[in-house]
Amino acid sequence: MQRMSNSDRTDRTRRALLEVARELFVTKGYAETSTPEIVSAAQMTRGALYHHFEDKRALFRAVVEAEAMAVAAEIEAATPPNLAPREALRQGSMAYLRAMTTPGRTRLLLVEGPAVLGDELTQLDEENAARTLREGIEAARSEGEARSAVPVGILAMLLSAAFDRAALAVSAGADEGAMGEAMAEMIERLV
């Protein structure tokens, strides 16, 4: 039987804490989830939790960061470099809405995240989904005449807010396809 390295044990412990914490943060919310509850559900000690994370907020931030990275990865997977920039924006729009239908993701990124992390969440978004949108707008504008004089940064920020509202609506039961088409039309008219 092969022994697990310290690095492997550390990774496994961290992953287990993140998985359990994600589930609890989604089902109960940040405020109603306690660290003793997390370690009990993960079958670990509080020492293990605090070895990996400074506190509950740091654990929550790690969960939210993983979700934000997963959304960006799904957008990037749906927009290979061979797509025309405007088509990539369209496909990226649909990929964002699909990515946000992962159970609990909307709550973590759009409800709990802003309340708990504030400006830190804005930075996480800038490194992930908002970055992909800004890059897509820049690429689309570089291929032809811009349909709007709105600066890229401002346009990306406003479209990002619209995407978030669409994701919240889809999570509340709105038609994902209709929301995606509406977002695609907005992009077509504004970018």
Side-chain angles (χ1 to χ4, degrees):
M1 178 183 208
Q2 186 179 8
R3 291 186 59 184
M4 192 180 306
S5 72
N6 284 340
S7 176
D8 289 340
R9 274 194 297 281
T10 296
D11 290 345
R12 188 174 79 185
T13 299
R14 183 178 169 79
R15 273 193 318 274
L17 287 166
L18 288 167
E19 287 171 16
V20 166
R22 183 195 190 282
E23 180 62 32
L24 289 169
F25 290 143
V26 167
T27 57
K28 297 181 73 177
Y30 177 83
E32 297 300 318
T33 300
S34 69
T35 55
E37 186 176 20
I38 293 167
V39 296
S40 175
Q43 299 179 339
M44 297 191 187
T45 65
R46 289 185 81 178
L49 172 70
Y50 292 116
H51 174 75
H52 293 280
F53 303 98
E54 180 181 343
D55 54 18
K56 181 174 84 165
R57 188 178 183 284
L59 174 59
F60 180 75
R61 186 188 190 289
V63 167
V64 169
E65 182 175 26
E67 294 296 318
M69 291 170 67
V71 170
E74 290 187 44
I75 293 168
E76 289 167 344
T79 57
N82 62 332
L83 279 182
R86 288 194 183 276
E87 182 59 22
L89 271 172
R90 182 178 179 78
Q91 293 301 317
S93 300
M94 298 306 286
Y96 173 80
L97 291 176
R98 275 192 311 275
M100 291 303 286
T101 63
T102 296
R105 191 169 278 163
T106 301
R107 180 175 187 174
L108 289 169
L109 292 175
L110 302 180
V111 179
E112 297 280 337
V116 176
L117 299 175
D119 289 341
E120 278 183 80
L121 185 66
T122 302
Q123 182 60 38
L124 283 173
D125 190 39
E126 283 298 318
E127 295 167 2
N128 293 287
R131 172 189 51 81
T132 65
L133 179 58
R134 188 179 54 260
E135 290 170 356
I137 293 169
E138 288 169 349
R141 283 192 168 176
S142 72
E143 82 166 353
E145 188 175 313
R147 294 188 169 101
S148 166
V150 177
V152 170
I154 293 171
L155 183 57
M157 180 182 63
L158 294 173
L159 284 172
S160 181
F163 275 111
D164 291 349
R165 293 299 299 184
L168 286 166
V170 169
S171 111
D175 180 76
E176 179 185 332
M179 285 295 179
E181 288 303 316
M183 291 306 304
E185 185 174 331
M186 283 177 55
I187 286 170
E188 189 58 35
R189 290 174 186 242
L190 295 172
V191 175

